[in-house]
């Protein structure tokens, strides 16, 4: 029983790892994101664009970016890009404090683009760490703003001694399961969101991924095999998702549309293999949108 509980909890962590005031912009044209023919051309914003990885994520491993090829494409368009690096498994507060230490060394206005937990880190930084004056926008991609039932199920199946044992194990790496505990639906809706309100003067944009096996459901994208168990669990709960976060939980602030992608493909992983979703075209569009909004 303990082994089964540990396996389920680590499945959640792995799923999360495989993979957050100006004028309202126009929603995405999802049709431009299918296939691979869209031109990667955009005008950059004046602000520095900061990329924030999700839970279990990384800045880069050798030549492999977490946001695969996105920093390079943006820089080719003339953008100022900073890729943050936070503790992979930690609380939002800890990760946001680490982010602040990095951004304190960068001058000028910022646009924060966070995938998954990175979107929550950005919200905490702005509201709780006094960054509202510097941040023009928080752009969240597949962030669990209202939590994920995967966290509810995983922690419910592996309480007490199993959870404590895993804490000790990953604690040797300086990590913790605090971030997993925080993305339960109850914590996000009853504790996090009330204590981290949106800051006046900061634009909050969000995108949601939607996927299905082989991308067969209308409007959905390709579901990579590692996310089939978690996607199936949420489907059994009658929840549409990207395999990790329900679509409705991903909506925050000005919702700009759904991406035909799962939680992995949203950051152009694995290694650009995102059938039916032109991830780099999406990120080029996003850069242009920042420019057009005056950021």
């Amino acid at each position: 029983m303990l082994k089964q509980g540990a396996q389920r909890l680590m499945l959640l962590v792995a799923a999360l790892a495989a993979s957050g005031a100006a004028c309202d912009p126009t929603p995405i044209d999802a049709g431009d994101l299918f296939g691979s023919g869209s031109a990667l051309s955009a005008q950059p914003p004046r602000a520095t664009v900061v990329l924030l990885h999700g839970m279990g994520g990384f800045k880069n491993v050798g030549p492999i970016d977490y946001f695969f090829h996105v920093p390079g494409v943006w820089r080719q368009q003339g953008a100022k890009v900073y890729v943050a690096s936070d503790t992979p498994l930690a609380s939002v507060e800890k990760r946001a404090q680490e982010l602040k230490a990095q951004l304190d060394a960068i001058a000028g206005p910022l646009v924060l683009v966070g995938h998954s937990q990175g979107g929550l880190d950005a919200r905490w930084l702005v509201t709780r760490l006094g960054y509202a004056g510097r941040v023009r926008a928080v752009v969240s991609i597949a962030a669990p703003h209202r939590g994920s039932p995967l966290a509810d199920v995983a922690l419910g199946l592996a309480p007490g001694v199993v959870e404590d044992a895993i804490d000790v194990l990953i604690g040797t790496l300086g990590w913790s399961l605090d971030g997993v505990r925080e993305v339960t639906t109850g914590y996000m809706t009853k504790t996090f969101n009330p204590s981290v309100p949106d800051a006046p003067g900061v634009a909050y944009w969000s995108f949601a991924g939607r996927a299905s096996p082989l991308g067969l459901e209308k409007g959905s994208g390709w579901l990579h095999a590692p996310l089939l168990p978690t996607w199936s669990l949420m489907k059994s709960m009658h929840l549409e998702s990207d395999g990790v976060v329900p679509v409705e939980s991903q909506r925050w602030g000005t919702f700009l549309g759904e991406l035909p992608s799962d939680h992995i493909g949203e950051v152009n992983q694995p290694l650009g293999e995102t059938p039916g979703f032109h991830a780099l075209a999406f990120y080029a569009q996003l850069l242009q949108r920042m420019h057009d909004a005056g950021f």
Side-chain angles (χ1 to χ4, degrees):
M1 181 66 179
L2 294 183
K3 181 178 180 181
Q4 181 185 45
Q7 289 174 335
R8 290 175 183 268
L9 187 56
M10 293 313 292
L11 172 64
L12 168 63
V13 174
L16 289 164
S19 40
C23 58
D24 289 345
T26 304
I28 60 169
D29 180 355
D32 291 344
L33 304 181
F34 289 93
S36 59
S38 299
L40 300 180
S41 178
Q43 296 171 284
R46 293 187 296 273
T48 298
V49 186
V50 182
L51 286 166
L52 314 176
H53 65 72
M55 186 181 299
F58 51 89
K59 177 178 180 179
N60 62 278
V61 177
I64 301 174
D65 307 305
Y66 177 87
F67 292 85
F68 190 62
H69 286 338
V70 174
V73 166
W74 277 357
R75 289 177 180 129
Q76 287 174 1
Q77 310 305 313
K80 294 176 289 185
V81 182
Y82 182 82
V83 183
S85 178
D86 303 318
T87 299
L89 294 173
S91 68
V92 170
E93 180 177 5
K94 175 178 172 62
R95 285 164 52 106
Q97 289 173 339
E98 293 174 348
L99 177 60
K100 181 180 184 299
Q102 296 170 63
L103 299 185
D104 282 348
I106 300 174
L110 307 168
V111 174
L112 308 179
V113 179
H115 178 245
S116 197
Q117 189 187 13
L120 306 182
D121 301 338
R123 288 178 54 196
W124 187 283
L125 174 78
V126 169
T127 300
R128 301 293 295 272
L129 298 183
Y131 252 63
R134 291 196 59 197
V135 174
R136 298 294 179 263
V138 170
V139 182
S140 63
I141 301 170
H145 295 291
R146 295 170 185 83
S148 173
L150 298 184
D152 300 344
V153 171
L155 294 177
L157 289 173
V161 64
V162 174
E163 190 177 335
D164 293 342
I166 295 174
D167 262 337
V168 171
L169 177 63
I170 66 177
T172 62
L173 298 174
W175 301 353
S176 81
L177 288 178
D178 290 342
V180 177
R181 300 186 187 100
E182 289 177 345
V183 295
T184 59
T185 56
Y187 183 86
M188 286 302 302
T189 57
K190 297 177 182 179
T191 302
F192 187 94
N193 288 338
S195 64
V196 190
D198 290 351
V202 177
Y204 289 82
W205 297 354
S206 63
F207 296 91
R210 182 192 291 266
S212 65
L214 303 179
L216 294 178
E217 294 185 1
K218 183 178 180 180
S220 69
W222 186 272
L223 183 74
H224 291 88
L227 298 184
L228 180 58
T230 51
W231 180 90
S232 299
L233 175 61
M234 284 187 282
K235 192 68 172 179
S236 72
M237 300 176 180
H238 307 289
L239 295 172
E240 300 300 324
S241 76
D242 66 353
V244 174
V245 185
V247 171
E248 289 304 312
S249 182
Q250 300 175 51
R251 293 172 174 261
W252 193 261
T254 300
F255 181 63
L256 294 178
E258 295 182 4
L259 309 179
S261 175
D262 69 4
H263 207 71
I264 300 173
E266 290 154 358
V267 292
N268 200 31
Q269 294 285 6
L271 304 179
E273 293 298 322
T274 58
F277 174 50
H278 191 357
L280 294 181
F282 161 69
Y283 282 98
Q285 289 182 21
L286 178 57
L287 194 70
Q288 183 67 51
R289 196 183 308 275
M290 297 173 195
H291 171 275
D292 294 346
F295 301 149

